[in-house]
Amino acid sequence: MIKRHAIRLTPLMLLSLAWPVAAQQVDEDLPDESYAAEIYAVEAEDVDPAAYATLAREGEGDVWSCASCHGAKGQGNGNIPRLAGLSTGYIAKQLHAYAEGVRINHNMQYVATKLTDDEMLGLARYYAEMEAPSNAGPALGGDLDRGQELMIHGDWDINVPACYSCHGSSAWGVEQAFPSLAAQQPAYTYAQLAAWTDGRRNNSPLQLMQGISHALSDADRRAVADYLATLPAPPAEEPTP
Amino acid sequence: MSHSDQDPNTQRDPGRTTPQRIVIASAVAAVLVAVGAAIYAAGIFNPIAQSPDRDADRGEQIARQDTERRQAWLAERKEYTADPKATPPSLPVAETGYFIPNDVADAPDNQFGDSVRRGYEIFTNTQTNASQHVGNGMNCANCHLGAGTVPGSAPMWAAAVEYPAFRGKNKIINTMEDRIHGCFTYSMNAQNSPSGSPPPRDGDIYKDLQSFFFYMAEGAPLEGNLPGRGYAVPPEPEDGYSITRGETVFENNCAVCHGTSGEGRRDPNGRWIFPALWGDDSYNWGAGMHRVNTAAGFIKHNMPLGQGGSLTDQQAWDVAAYINSWERPADPRQLRDGLTVAETDERFHEHTPNFYGDEVRGDLLGDGIPGEPTAQQPPSIGAPRHSQQASR
């Protein structure tokens, strides 16, 4: 099994940063977890997502096709997540997280350990630049009013900020690190909220999601997962010029 | 399975009739159901079905309890209004000891309730609902979390009962309208807004915001000095505060949301999600938050979002210093009074810990030119997901 290491900022990587304003701010001691998504997105500018379409659709050797589980349009199904419209950096970061074992899922770990870094970036862009309507809907019997309350206001009695205050006003995500939640499969969203609490997922910047998932009751998790499934799907990420 | 499992199917007991067997089977079934119900009722499944470290529906329990406490308070008040000899109502407080504000969702279905709801909308989405008077990327609710309800985040139910008051900042008696006018002038940088100024005096924006505050504060005593008001400033560390240490705190705890250049972030709709902490889109040099002590108080109790209290006092002071050691829109009083930065520094910035008028990284802080259109948003490291069309 190939052990992949957390990304390290190297002088070469610094040079690859496209914007001088940003580059002057980046130090070598930046923590990986918080910046990984943004760094992968910069790296992904050099890969051509079209070159990885076959890998996504048909697989290759030991690597199963993404589409065999996530669907031809990347919409997901059941507890298989939607990928279409997630940010490039977020998807790439998750693939690395599976390969590194900080996200536990046997199927994804099997696949991710066989992918090269470039394949991860290419597949990430392929799905980020895909736009597909929602095929999700409430499925967990969650209280949609409570879900909307958590999305828009949060619940400060239990120290839970509104979902939108990090994931955006339409829950379409914010730049690279904060993924879209809209039109996500509710069983998947629910499973992630559980995974942050029980340690199967351990890659949230500043452990932000751990704190939130600890605070949410089972009913809250079902409510918010079902509510997010009612929202329109995110737009495709704009291709890098 | 084992042989015994199959016995009933393969061996007939000649001593029992079919009705007897039915009776025995029913009795066994009834016992099993009773045992299952007892286990369920005893709640010993809960630790298995739920993580032991969190209470089931704690948010709902607290909300219900708070509602009950407010209703009890209302009943006491009604009794006291009808009979002055009755016991006066005590303060409606939550289990935490903090005041329980009215919930906007319960505002009455009349003109006042409409005003409360409009005030709430202005407060939470100032960018849209007071767009003509906002000259940066801020919303009221950025610094008053939970739509002005959260203790330690300058909650509006506590502020509503503290005005009119004399303020050293402008050395006059301030009504709540004056106070809000000040927020627009400084924190919302109205000088750079489409109208160029705060909302016109006596206008609906003030009325609606005040209705909203007033409604939340129903039952709070005037000048109550309620716990949770303002930003409780942690004691200044013995060794002072350091921009250099603050930079490390910022990179480790703040930049993932606010960006490595403190530039803030917008969502694909162009709406500001993480406010800018310095630069053209942030609060100006006249805002209270530019003071290191005030920012340290806000940060200590509220940041990172959802993890208030996680930074040490030293870290809060250091990172407050770092954030406030960068250039931001000019102090509007400098332009108003035709002053130099040095004169403005002397007149308005001498008595608080701040970097106005200081030279940091070779840059004189405070000399930003006001009134210029907002410069193009500097991209954060990494690709912005979508073209960031301005929302205003």
Side-chain angles (χ1 to χ4, degrees), chain A residues 6-7 31-43 88-90 92-94 96 121 176-177 205, chain B residues 256 381:
Chain A
I7 185 160
D32 297 335
E33 199 61 73
S34 294
Y35 300 93
E38 296 187 328
I39 291 165
Y40 290 135
V42 172
E43 290 182 322
T88 296
Y90 174 78
K93 184 182 164 206
Q94 303 314 309
H96 280 278
L121 296 174
Q176 294 297 325
Chain B
V256 61
I381 64 166

Side-chain angles (χ1 to χ4, degrees), chain A:
Chain A
M1 188 187 283
I2 304 161
K3 170 75 182 162
R4 291 187 196 285
H5 296 280
I7 185 160
R8 297 272 177 257
L9 276 168
T10 62
L12 192 67
M13 219 177 277
L14 285 174
L15 285 176
S16 77
L17 292 169
W19 294 280
V21 174
Q24 88 191 20
Q25 294 299 327
V26 174
D27 290 340
E28 289 192 31
D29 58 355
L30 293 181
D32 297 335
E33 199 61 73
S34 294
Y35 300 93
E38 296 187 328
I39 291 165
Y40 290 135
V42 172
E43 290 182 322
E45 288 170 16
D46 297 332
V47 303
D48 175 14
Y52 299 91
T54 309
L55 181 61
R57 284 193 286 245
E58 295 167 23
E60 195 179 292
D62 278 350
V63 179
W64 312 323
S65 80
C66 309
S68 63
C69 290
H70 293 275
K73 295 178 181 172
Q75 295 160 307
N77 188 30
N79 62 357
I80 312 285
R82 154 183 284 270
L83 302 177
L86 297 176
S87 64
T88 296
Y90 174 78
I91 299 176
K93 184 182 164 206
Q94 303 314 309
L95 289 170
H96 280 278
Y98 285 123
E100 291 156 15
V102 291
R103 256 192 99 166
I104 308 293
N105 176 293
H106 291 299
N107 291 339
M108 283 310 301
Q109 285 174 287
Y110 176 82
V111 175
T113 48
K114 294 179 169 56
L115 294 173
T116 66
D117 287 2
D118 275 354
E119 284 170 339
M120 291 186 185
L121 296 174
L123 291 169
R125 267 192 72 177
Y126 177 77
Y127 281 105
E129 292 170 16
M130 184 179 275
E131 189 163 319
S134 176
N135 69 343
L140 309 174
D143 177 345
L144 295 180
D145 288 342
R146 172 66 175 168
Q148 184 180 41
E149 175 81 10
L150 289 168
M151 164 69 187
I152 296 174
H153 305 294
D155 186 343
W156 286 97
D157 286 337
I158 52 173
N159 215 21
V160 172
C163 307
Y164 101 84
S165 62
C166 291
H167 294 275
S169 54
S170 300
W172 286 346
V174 175
E175 295 192 11
Q176 294 297 325
F178 297 87
S180 170
L181 307 175
Q184 188 52 274
Q185 301 297 335
Y188 169 79
T189 307
Y190 175 85
Q192 297 316 298
L193 288 168
W196 273 301
T197 295
D198 67 26
R200 275 176 297 134
R201 188 167 175 180
N202 194 25
N203 67 336
S204 179
L206 306 181
Q207 307 261 307
L208 287 165
M209 285 310 302
Q210 272 89 339
I212 289 163
S213 79
H214 263 280
L216 293 178
S217 69
D218 188 70
D220 283 343
R221 293 173 182 179
R222 281 186 282 119
V224 76
D226 268 354
Y227 175 74
L228 291 166
T230 68
L231 300 176
E237 184 169 81
E238 285 177 7
T240 318

Side-chain angles (χ1 to χ4, degrees), chain B residues 7-26:
Chain B
D7 285 347
N9 300 326
T10 55
Q11 295 177 2
R12 291 208 140 213
D13 180 354
R16 296 201 181 107
T17 63
T18 299
Q20 279 175 325
R21 282 197 288 270
I22 289 172
V23 168
I24 291 167
S26 303

Side-chain angles (χ1 to χ4, degrees), chain B residues 190-227:
Chain B
Q191 62 190 342
N192 198 33
S193 68
S195 77
S197 58
R201 294 281 188 180
D202 207 29
D204 283 346
I205 287 176
Y206 298 107
K207 291 176 184 179
D208 292 339
L209 283 172
Q210 289 185 86
S211 295
F212 168 54
F213 303 162
F214 182 81
Y215 179 69
M216 283 202 289
E218 184 184 3
L222 284 176
E223 287 210 73
N225 209 9
L226 292 171

